Amino acid sequence: MDRSRVLSALLWGAVGFSAFLTLVQGYALVVEPLVSITQGVFVATCVGAVTAVGAYALEHRLLAWMAGRVSDDPQSHDGDSKSKS
């Protein structure tokens, strides 16, 4: 198991956890509370776990796909830095 992939996935999970709690809090401030704080933390934990698993499973595939797109992209400007539109 690659340690850097695990760390990256855990950090993405923390981002998902925080983003969900931020959205719930924002909604509660503007409209009305959707869930209790306990329910919000539980759902945020689930969102964080799904985000971490998804990041672990897909991150290396997305990086390989993006690297392939960059290497297959022909030089559209023939070395000229000016836009030709």
Side-chain angles (χ1 to χ4, degrees):
M1 197 182 309
D2 187 13
R3 194 173 176 93
S4 63
R5 278 184 64 199
V6 171
L7 179 61
S8 176
L10 290 175
L11 290 172
W12 277 112
V15 169
F17 178 85
S18 300
F20 182 81
L21 284 181
T22 301
L23 289 172
V24 168
Q25 184 179 14
Y27 188 85
L29 289 171
V30 173
V31 182
E32 64 181 38
L34 282 173
V35 294
S36 69
I37 190 67
T38 307
Q39 292 170 332
V41 169
F42 175 74
V43 174
T45 302
C46 293
V47 169
V50 169
T51 303
V53 169
Y56 185 81
L58 298 175
E59 187 174 29
H60 68 285
R61 292 181 184 143
L62 288 173
L63 289 174
W65 176 72
M66 287 189 301
R69 283 190 62 178
V70 169
S71 65
D72 292 342
D73 189 25
Q75 289 284 339
S76 60
H77 298 295
D78 298 324
D80 188 10
S81 63
K82 297 178 186 173
S83 177
K84 298 190 179 186
S85 50

